[in-house]
Amino acid sequence: MSKKLLFIIGLSFSSATCLFAQTYPEVVFENSLLSGNYAKSIVNYSGDSWVQNVKKNLPSTDSLFFTPGNSLSLRYLSSNAGNWNVTLLNDRHKVYYQVLANDVLTIKMYVQTAHTKLKSLPKIQLIQGDSQTNILELAPFIDDFDHDTWLNVEIPLSKFSDLKAGESVSEVVLHQNMADEMTHQVFIDQVEFLPKNPSRVKLSSGAILSQVSSVDKQVELQWQLPLTPSIRYIKIYRSSDNIDFKPIAIRPVFMQKCYDLVDEFDKTYYYKIAWVDYDYLESPFSVVKEIKTKPASDLELSDLIKQANVNYFIENYDINSGLFLPNKSNKRAIVSIEESGYAILSLLIGVENKQISRQAVLMRLDRMMKFLSKVQHHDGVFTAFYDGRLGVPFYRNNVQEYDVKATATLLEAMLVAREYFFKDEPQEKSLREAVTALWQRTNWTKYTSDTNPDALIDKWSSIDSNLYSKKLSGLEDGLSAYLLAMSSPTFPLSEASYKNGYARKYGSTDSSVIAPSLIMGNESSVKSDLQFIMPDAVSVEEHQIEDSLIFEDHILYGKKIEIGDLNSSMMGFYRPFLTLDPRGKYDGHVDYGQLVSNYILAYKRRDNELNLGSSYTDIWGVQNPADSLGQYLVNPAISIGAVAFEKEIGQKSLRKFYEQYAPVLFTQYGFRSWIDLKNNDVSDGFTARNQATVAILMENAKSGLIWKLYDQIPEINATLKKIYQKK
């Protein structure tokens, strides 16, 4: 097949936007989420050389692309008296794709300047963490070189010396080549690693667009995908006259639907789709379907956003274990225990709103129970991750540890599900019995501190026991776990653990003992957080000083805050109140209903005074308030989650985030993790805690579903009655 590609050039004339979402883990670049510049690129030049850039990032363009809706613009001048390079960063959620020795790196390239010769094109290099390959010319890997057409660059990875097969590629770097003192214009799209010999079954049957519906300006498209192995993407076309159809998006095959944000209300739009193979050849089109848009009420918009967040958990799971799959990998299916707890609660909301069938969730939960009953555990406590295909633990940094917080999150959700599936039917009865068995075998008394038997520890290792563990306390780390441990029917902690464990404040760890180490951030390879690590000979617990109780009596931004200081993310503060209704809960120190309300108001007031890049008071929710550099990331889940406690505040934020930033933030999985309004950057990923927090708190605001189910758990209800009273 000719490597000159003419058939898929995209010219975008519409301002409407098909919302970009996750792609394959092997794809380095498919689309820039924000217009103007691509934040996951880094431009460097020196001397008389030059590369066009926007704040050291490559510009993106939506007027010319290989796959809709944009490409990268590489405009450069190569000089003998200078040098340049451009780095494309691989995203965090793609680092699990481990390249194989016989894979092929493919790039779609459009050479616009007529004077550009093969030797003028950049060289290329791959980076794998601290190691790097040799630098290759592109010329030998381009057939039928020409201008003003899309070219296919195909580089076998075997050509890169020092490449480590079985490891992920963190960067693709383009380097200056022949210096000719001329300015060149090249466009780059669809940078990806592909198998050497993918399936090439001809796509002879038409695509199937099964349903088109709309809420507000969001058009939802659903399709029925056959099991044809050569299908690589679903390509979506839109028209406003049923004659002139424009390509607006491509979607990977693991997605079942897509949202398209259009321009106008009371207007009819027409859609069709095609399957796309590995050579980007298209199948025959589907039947055209039409839809007319209309404005949405607050309730309709809320339901749309809630259902999108639930959809994240409907689509992202391991088929073998039924557990939540945070990242897609070509080698292993690493499932998360803690995030599976969030998934269970969200799936119950899906059933309640008829988004997924009761039977489908029952089957998935049954698969989870069978998997969890067989996998390795320690006194009922699970490791944080497992290989869903092999059924064995997966240890981060090769350290064998059992995670109390993750186990508590999963068990809590399982008990809520036990209450939801109450029918006297064999499958539901079997589920309830399986949940109870896992719940009863968990021995919380084995996970207490050596120095304080009322305090839970966060982890235990078969290598060094609890040497590197820390005591759990406070809202985010402790409350949910302590309520479970105190409610255990078999191995309960005493009632005293509420005060001596959950409510105990531990002093700061000695900074001379614990050293900071930069690790990769949760959502992006260019947004990092600090995590503390411990030298080999020192126990974390030894340096945790029991100072006093966690309860404070201070005023922040005009509101009384009795727990916390606004210096950590509101997401952690919300954690226990996903399941525990704070209203009417008073423990002799704090009225939790009033605390949550005050905390939200103080957090919002503080955020409104920060320079977040927005003048709207309804845009708030700083994810990283302790950032000393002021590079604040705004997490929509924080302000939207407020709807369960301060309805007007949460609803206004939901509407404002949607109206202002839906084209880049909102997808079929809900809102992305964060947006950086000052630096024109947005997360291209999602987190289970974010998506679940929005879905759960929106449902609790509407019906109180999860709060009611949690309160119905007999063992926990008895504990709540002992601890809390109405003030």
Side-chain angles (χ1 to χ4, degrees), residues 12-82:
S12 176
F13 299 105
S14 172
S15 61
T17 306
C18 195
L19 306 173
F20 302 127
Q22 284 181 308
T23 185
Y24 292 107
E26 63 268 27
V27 176
V28 178
F29 174 81
E30 183 180 87
N31 280 297
S32 175
L33 296 174
L34 292 177
S35 60
N37 63 306
Y38 181 53
K40 308 295 188 294
S41 63
I42 302 173
V43 172
N44 291 296
Y45 65 85
S46 61
D48 293 343
S49 293
W50 169 82
V51 179
Q52 184 183 44
N53 68 91
V54 180
K55 297 180 180 179
K56 296 298 181 182
N57 301 142
L58 278 182
S60 62
T61 176
D62 59 3
S63 62
L64 178 66
F65 46 73
F66 180 77
T67 54
N70 56 48
S71 67
L72 298 177
S73 171
L74 177 60
R75 189 173 183 82
Y76 60 93
L77 185 151
S78 299
S79 172
N80 282 313

Coordinates of all heavy atoms in Angstrom, one line a residue, residues 12-82:
S12 N -11.6 21.8 9.1 CA -12.6 22.1 10.0 C -13.2 23.4 9.8 O -12.5 24.4 9.9 CB -12.1 22.0 11.5 OG -13.0 22.3 12.4
F13 N -14.5 23.5 9.5 CA -15.2 24.8 9.3 C -16.2 25.1 10.4 O -16.8 26.1 10.4 CB -15.9 24.8 7.9 CG -14.9 24.6 6.8 CD1 -14.9 23.4 6.1 CD2 -14.1 25.6 6.4 CE1 -14.0 23.2 5.1 CE2 -13.2 25.4 5.3 CZ -13.2 24.2 4.7
S14 N -16.4 24.1 11.2 CA -17.5 24.3 12.3 C -16.9 24.6 13.6 O -15.8 24.1 14.0 CB -18.3 23.0 12.4 OG -19.1 23.0 13.5
S15 N -17.5 25.4 14.3 CA -17.1 25.8 15.7 C -17.6 24.8 16.7 O -17.2 24.8 17.9 CB -17.5 27.2 16.1 OG -18.9 27.3 16.1
A16 N -18.5 24.0 16.3 CA -19.0 22.9 17.3 C -17.9 21.9 17.5 O -17.0 21.8 16.8 CB -20.3 22.2 16.7
T17 N -18.0 21.3 18.7 CA -16.9 20.5 19.1 C -17.4 19.1 19.5 O -18.3 18.9 20.4 CB -16.2 21.1 20.4 OG1 -15.9 22.5 20.0 CG2 -15.0 20.4 20.8
C18 N -16.8 18.0 19.0 CA -17.0 16.7 19.5 C -16.0 16.5 20.6 O -14.8 16.7 20.4 CB -16.8 15.6 18.4 SG -17.5 14.0 19.0
L19 N -16.4 16.2 21.8 CA -15.6 16.3 23.0 C -14.5 15.2 23.0 O -14.9 14.0 22.9 CB -16.5 16.2 24.2 CG -17.6 17.2 24.2 CD1 -18.5 17.0 25.3 CD2 -17.0 18.6 24.3
F20 N -13.3 15.6 23.2 CA -12.2 14.6 23.1 C -12.2 13.8 24.4 O -12.5 14.3 25.5 CB -10.9 15.3 23.0 CG -10.8 16.2 21.8 CD1 -10.4 17.5 21.8 CD2 -11.1 15.6 20.5 CE1 -10.3 18.3 20.7 CE2 -11.0 16.4 19.4 CZ -10.6 17.7 19.5
A21 N -11.8 12.5 24.3 CA -11.8 11.7 25.5 C -10.6 10.8 25.4 O -9.7 11.1 24.7 CB -13.1 10.8 25.5
Q22 N -10.5 9.8 26.3 CA -9.4 8.9 26.4 C -9.1 8.2 25.0 O -10.1 8.0 24.3 CB -9.6 7.9 27.4 CG -9.4 8.4 28.8 CD -9.6 7.3 29.9 OE1 -10.6 6.6 29.8 NE2 -8.6 7.1 30.7
T23 N -7.9 7.9 24.8 CA -7.6 7.1 23.6 C -6.8 5.9 24.0 O -6.7 5.6 25.2 CB -6.8 8.0 22.6 OG1 -6.6 7.3 21.4 CG2 -5.4 8.5 23.2
Y24 N -6.2 5.3 23.0 CA -5.4 4.1 23.3 C -4.1 4.4 24.0 O -3.5 5.4 23.8 CB -5.0 3.4 22.0 CG -6.2 2.8 21.2 CD1 -6.7 3.4 20.1 CD2 -6.8 1.6 21.7 CE1 -7.7 2.9 19.4 CE2 -7.9 1.1 21.0 CZ -8.4 1.7 19.8 OH -9.4 1.2 19.1
P25 N -3.7 3.5 24.9 CA -2.4 3.8 25.7 C -1.2 3.8 24.8 O -0.2 4.4 25.2 CB -2.3 2.6 26.7 CG -3.2 1.5 26.1 CD -4.3 2.2 25.3
E26 N -1.3 3.2 23.6 CA -0.1 3.3 22.7 C 0.0 4.5 21.8 O 0.9 4.7 21.0 CB -0.1 2.0 21.8 CG -1.3 1.9 20.9 CD -2.5 1.1 21.4 OE1 -2.6 1.1 22.7 OE2 -3.2 0.5 20.6
V27 N -1.0 5.4 22.0 CA -1.1 6.6 21.2 C -0.4 7.8 22.0 O -0.8 8.1 23.1 CB -2.5 7.1 20.8 CG1 -2.5 8.4 20.1 CG2 -3.2 6.0 20.0
V28 N 0.7 8.3 21.4 CA 1.4 9.5 22.0 C 0.7 10.8 21.7 O 0.5 11.6 22.6 CB 2.8 9.5 21.5 CG1 3.6 10.7 22.1 CG2 3.6 8.2 21.8
F29 N 0.3 11.0 20.5 CA -0.5 12.2 20.2 C -1.6 11.8 19.2 O -1.4 11.2 18.2 CB 0.3 13.3 19.5 CG -0.5 14.5 19.1 CD1 -0.9 15.4 20.0 CD2 -0.9 14.6 17.7 CE1 -1.7 16.5 19.5 CE2 -1.7 15.6 17.3 CZ -2.1 16.6 18.2
E30 N -2.8 12.3 19.6 CA -4.0 12.1 18.7 C -4.7 13.5 18.5 O -5.0 13.8 17.4 CB -5.0 11.1 19.3 CG -6.2 10.8 18.5 CD -7.1 9.8 19.2 OE1 -7.9 10.3 20.0 OE2 -6.9 8.6 19.0
N31 N -4.9 14.2 19.6 CA -5.5 15.5 19.5 C -5.0 16.4 20.7 O -4.8 15.8 21.8 CB -7.0 15.5 19.6 CG -7.6 15.1 18.2 OD1 -7.5 15.9 17.3 ND2 -8.3 14.0 18.2
S32 N -4.9 17.7 20.5 CA -4.7 18.6 21.6 C -6.1 19.0 22.2 O -7.0 19.3 21.4 CB -4.0 19.8 21.1 OG -3.9 20.8 22.2
L33 N -6.2 18.9 23.5 CA -7.5 19.1 24.1 C -7.9 20.6 24.0 O -9.0 21.0 23.9 CB -7.5 18.7 25.5 CG -7.4 17.2 25.7 CD1 -7.2 16.8 27.2 CD2 -8.5 16.4 25.1
L34 N -6.9 21.5 24.2 CA -7.1 22.9 24.2 C -6.6 23.5 22.9 O -5.5 23.1 22.4 CB -6.4 23.6 25.4 CG -7.0 23.3 26.7 CD1 -6.2 24.0 27.8 CD2 -8.5 23.7 26.8
S35 N -7.3 24.5 22.3 CA -6.8 25.1 21.1 C -5.7 26.0 21.4 O -5.5 26.5 22.6 CB -8.0 25.9 20.5 OG -8.5 26.9 21.4
G36 N -4.9 26.3 20.5 CA -3.8 27.3 20.6 C -2.5 26.6 20.8 O -1.6 26.8 19.9
N37 N -2.3 25.8 21.8 CA -1.0 25.1 22.0 C -1.2 23.8 22.7 O -2.2 23.5 23.3 CB -0.1 26.0 22.8 CG -0.6 26.2 24.3 OD1 -1.7 26.7 24.4 ND2 0.2 25.9 25.2
Y38 N -0.2 22.9 22.5 CA -0.3 21.6 23.0 C 0.6 21.5 24.3 O 1.8 21.5 24.2 CB 0.2 20.6 22.0 CG 0.1 19.1 22.4 CD1 -1.1 18.6 23.0 CD2 1.2 18.3 22.3 CE1 -1.1 17.3 23.4 CE2 1.1 17.0 22.7 CZ 0.0 16.5 23.2 OH -0.1 15.2 23.7
A39 N 0.0 21.4 25.4 CA 0.7 21.5 26.7 C 1.6 20.4 27.0 O 2.5 20.5 27.8 CB -0.3 21.7 27.9
K40 N 1.4 19.2 26.3 CA 2.3 18.1 26.5 C 3.5 18.1 25.6 O 4.0 17.0 25.2 CB 1.5 16.8 26.3 CG 0.2 16.7 27.1 CD 0.4 16.7 28.6 CE -0.8 16.4 29.4 NZ -1.8 17.5 29.3
S41 N 3.8 19.2 25.1 CA 5.0 19.4 24.2 C 6.0 20.4 24.9 O 5.5 21.3 25.6 CB 4.6 19.8 22.8 OG 4.0 21.1 22.8
I42 N 7.2 20.3 24.6 CA 8.3 21.2 25.0 C 9.1 21.6 23.9 O 9.7 20.7 23.2 CB 9.1 20.6 26.2 CG1 8.2 20.2 27.3 CG2 10.2 21.6 26.7 CD1 9.0 19.4 28.4
V43 N 9.2 22.9 23.6 CA 10.1 23.4 22.5 C 11.3 24.0 23.1 O 11.3 24.9 24.0 CB 9.3 24.5 21.7 CG1 10.2 25.2 20.7 CG2 8.1 23.8 21.0
N44 N 12.5 23.7 22.5 CA 13.7 24.3 22.9 C 14.5 24.6 21.6 O 14.5 23.9 20.6 CB 14.6 23.3 23.7 CG 14.1 23.0 25.1 OD1 14.0 23.9 25.9 ND2 13.7 21.8 25.3
Y45 N 15.1 25.8 21.6 CA 16.0 26.2 20.5 C 17.1 27.1 21.0 O 16.9 27.8 22.0 CB 15.2 26.8 19.3 CG 14.6 28.1 19.6 CD1 15.3 29.4 19.5 CD2 13.2 28.2 19.9 CE1 14.7 30.6 19.7 CE2 12.6 29.4 20.2 CZ 13.3 30.6 20.1 OH 12.7 31.8 20.3
S46 N 18.2 27.2 20.2 CA 19.3 28.0 20.6 C 19.9 28.6 19.4 O 19.8 28.2 18.3 CB 20.3 27.2 21.4 OG 20.8 26.1 20.6
G47 N 20.8 29.7 19.7 CA 21.5 30.3 18.6 C 20.6 30.9 17.5 O 19.5 31.5 17.8
D48 N 20.9 30.7 16.3 CA 20.2 31.2 15.2 C 19.0 30.3 14.7 O 18.3 30.6 13.8 CB 21.1 31.5 14.0 CG 22.1 32.6 14.3 OD1 21.8 33.4 15.2 OD2 23.1 32.7 13.6
S49 N 18.9 29.1 15.3 CA 17.8 28.2 15.0 C 16.6 28.8 15.7 O 16.6 29.6 16.6 CB 18.1 26.8 15.4 OG 19.2 26.3 14.6
W50 N 15.4 28.2 15.2 CA 14.1 28.7 15.8 C 13.0 27.7 15.6 O 13.0 27.0 14.6 CB 13.8 30.1 15.1 CG 12.4 30.6 15.5 CD1 12.0 31.3 16.6 CD2 11.2 30.5 14.6 NE1 10.6 31.6 16.5 CE2 10.2 31.1 15.3 CE3 11.0 29.9 13.4 CZ2 8.9 31.1 14.8 CZ3 9.7 29.9 12.8 CH2 8.7 30.6 13.5
V51 N 12.1 27.6 16.5 CA 10.9 26.9 16.4 C 9.7 27.7 16.9 O 9.8 28.2 18.0 CB 10.9 25.5 17.2 CG1 9.6 24.8 17.1 CG2 12.1 24.7 16.8
Q52 N 8.7 27.8 16.1 CA 7.5 28.6 16.5 C 6.9 27.9 17.8 O 6.8 26.6 17.8 CB 6.5 28.6 15.4 CG 5.2 29.4 15.7 CD 4.2 29.4 14.6 OE1 3.9 28.3 14.1 NE2 3.7 30.5 14.3
N53 N 6.5 28.7 18.8 CA 6.0 28.1 20.0 C 5.0 29.1 20.7 O 5.1 30.3 20.4 CB 7.1 27.7 20.9 CG 7.8 28.8 21.5 OD1 7.5 29.4 22.5 ND2 8.9 29.3 20.8
V54 N 4.2 28.6 21.5 CA 3.3 29.4 22.4 C 3.7 28.9 23.8 O 3.3 27.8 24.2 CB 1.8 29.1 22.1 CG1 1.0 30.0 23.0 CG2 1.5 29.4 20.6
K55 N 4.4 29.8 24.5 CA 4.8 29.5 25.9 C 5.6 28.2 25.9 O 5.4 27.4 26.8 CB 3.6 29.4 26.8 CG 2.8 30.7 27.0 CD 1.6 30.6 27.9 CE 0.9 31.9 28.0 NZ -0.3 31.7 29.0
K56 N 6.5 28.0 25.0 CA 7.4 26.9 24.9 C 6.6 25.6 24.5 O 7.2 24.5 24.7 CB 8.1 26.6 26.2 CG 9.1 27.8 26.6 CD 10.2 27.9 25.5 CE 11.2 29.0 25.8 NZ 12.2 29.2 24.8
N57 N 5.4 25.7 24.0 CA 4.6 24.5 23.5 C 4.4 24.7 22.0 O 4.4 25.8 21.5 CB 3.3 24.4 24.2 CG 3.3 24.3 25.7 OD1 2.5 24.9 26.4 ND2 4.3 23.6 26.2
L58 N 4.3 23.5 21.4 CA 3.9 23.6 19.9 C 2.5 24.1 19.8 O 1.6 23.7 20.5 CB 4.0 22.2 19.3 CG 5.4 21.6 18.9 CD1 5.2 20.2 18.3 CD2 6.1 22.5 18.0
P59 N 2.3 24.9 18.7 CA 0.9 25.3 18.4 C 0.1 24.2 17.9 O 0.7 23.2 17.3 CB 1.1 26.4 17.3 CG 2.5 26.8 17.4 CD 3.3 25.6 17.9
S60 N -1.2 24.2 18.1 CA -2.1 23.2 17.4 C -2.9 23.9 16.4 O -3.2 25.1 16.5 CB -2.9 22.5 18.5 OG -3.7 23.4 19.2
T61 N -3.4 23.2 15.5 CA -4.3 23.8 14.5 C -5.5 22.9 14.2 O -5.4 21.7 14.1 CB -3.6 24.1 13.1 OG1 -4.5 24.6 12.2 CG2 -2.9 22.8 12.6
D62 N -6.7 23.5 14.1 CA -7.9 22.7 13.7 C -8.3 22.9 12.3 O -9.4 22.5 11.9 CB -9.0 23.0 14.7 CG -9.4 24.5 14.6 OD1 -8.9 25.3 13.8 OD2 -10.3 24.9 15.4
S63 N -7.5 23.6 11.5 CA -7.8 23.8 10.1 C -7.2 22.7 9.2 O -7.6 22.6 8.0 CB -7.3 25.2 9.6 OG -5.9 25.2 9.7
L64 N -6.3 21.9 9.7 CA -5.7 20.8 8.9 C -5.3 19.7 9.8 O -4.6 19.9 10.8 CB -4.4 21.4 8.2 CG -3.6 20.4 7.3 CD1 -4.4 19.9 6.1 CD2 -2.3 21.0 6.9
F65 N -5.9 18.5 9.5 CA -5.6 17.4 10.4 C -5.8 16.1 9.6 O -6.4 16.0 8.6 CB -6.5 17.4 11.6 CG -8.0 17.6 11.4 CD1 -8.7 16.6 10.8 CD2 -8.5 18.8 11.7 CE1 -10.1 16.9 10.5 CE2 -9.9 19.1 11.4 CZ -10.7 18.1 10.8
F66 N -5.1 15.0 10.1 CA -5.2 13.7 9.6 C -6.5 13.0 10.1 O -7.3 12.5 9.4 CB -4.0 12.9 9.8 CG -4.0 11.5 9.2 CD1 -3.9 11.3 7.9 CD2 -4.3 10.4 10.0 CE1 -4.0 10.0 7.3 CE2 -4.4 9.1 9.5 CZ -4.2 8.9 8.2
T67 N -6.5 13.0 11.5 CA -7.7 12.5 12.2 C -8.3 13.7 12.9 O -7.6 14.5 13.5 CB -7.4 11.4 13.2 OG1 -6.4 11.8 14.1 CG2 -6.9 10.1 12.4
P68 N -9.6 13.9 12.9 CA -10.3 15.0 13.5 C -10.1 15.0 15.0 O -10.0 13.9 15.6 CB -11.7 14.8 13.2 CG -11.9 13.4 12.9 CD -10.6 12.9 12.3
G69 N -9.9 16.2 15.7 CA -10.1 17.5 15.2 C -8.9 18.4 15.1 O -9.1 19.5 14.7
N70 N -7.6 18.0 15.4 CA -6.5 19.0 15.1 C -5.2 18.2 15.0 O -5.2 17.0 15.1 CB -6.4 20.0 16.3 CG -6.3 19.4 17.7 OD1 -5.5 18.5 17.9 ND2 -7.1 19.8 18.6
S71 N -4.2 19.0 14.6 CA -2.9 18.5 14.5 C -1.9 19.4 15.1 O -2.2 20.5 15.5 CB -2.5 18.2 13.0 OG -2.4 19.5 12.3
L72 N -0.6 19.1 15.2 CA 0.4 19.9 15.7 C 1.1 20.7 14.5 O 1.4 20.1 13.5 CB 1.5 19.1 16.5 CG 0.9 18.4 17.7 CD1 2.0 17.6 18.3 CD2 0.3 19.4 18.7
S73 N 1.4 21.9 14.7 CA 2.1 22.7 13.8 C 3.6 22.8 14.2 O 3.9 23.4 15.2 CB 1.5 24.1 13.7 OG 2.3 25.0 12.9
L74 N 4.4 22.3 13.3 CA 5.9 22.4 13.5 C 6.5 23.3 12.5 O 6.7 22.9 11.3 CB 6.5 21.0 13.5 CG 8.0 21.0 13.6 CD1 8.5 21.5 14.9 CD2 8.5 19.5 13.4
R75 N 6.7 24.5 12.9 CA 7.3 25.5 12.0 C 8.7 25.9 12.5 O 8.9 26.3 13.7 CB 6.5 26.8 11.9 CG 6.9 27.8 10.9 CD 5.9 29.0 10.8 NE 6.2 29.9 9.8 CZ 5.8 29.8 8.5 NH1 5.2 28.7 8.1 NH2 6.1 30.7 7.6
Y76 N 9.8 25.6 11.7 CA 11.1 25.7 12.3 C 12.1 26.2 11.3 O 11.9 26.2 10.0 CB 11.6 24.3 12.8 CG 11.6 23.3 11.7 CD1 12.7 23.0 10.9 CD2 10.4 22.5 11.4 CE1 12.7 22.0 9.9 CE2 10.4 21.5 10.4 CZ 11.6 21.3 9.7 OH 11.6 20.3 8.7
L77 N 13.2 26.7 11.8 CA 14.4 27.1 11.0 C 15.6 26.5 11.6 O 15.9 26.6 12.8 CB 14.5 28.7 11.0 CG 15.6 29.3 10.1 CD1 15.3 30.7 9.7 CD2 17.0 29.3 10.9
S78 N 16.4 25.7 10.8 CA 17.6 25.0 11.2 C 18.8 25.8 10.7 O 19.0 26.0 9.5 CB 17.6 23.6 10.7 OG 16.4 22.9 11.2
S79 N 19.6 26.2 11.7 CA 20.8 27.0 11.4 C 22.1 26.3 11.8 O 22.1 25.6 12.8 CB 20.7 28.3 12.0 OG 21.9 29.1 11.9
N80 N 23.2 26.5 11.1 CA 24.5 26.0 11.5 C 24.9 26.6 12.8 O 25.7 26.0 13.5 CB 25.5 26.3 10.4 CG 25.4 25.3 9.2 OD1 25.3 24.1 9.4 ND2 25.4 25.8 8.0
A81 N 24.4 27.8 13.0 CA 24.8 28.5 14.3 C 23.8 28.3 15.4 O 23.6 29.2 16.2 CB 25.0 30.0 13.9
G82 N 23.1 27.2 15.4 CA 22.1 27.0 16.4 C 21.7 25.5 16.4 O 22.2 24.7 15.7

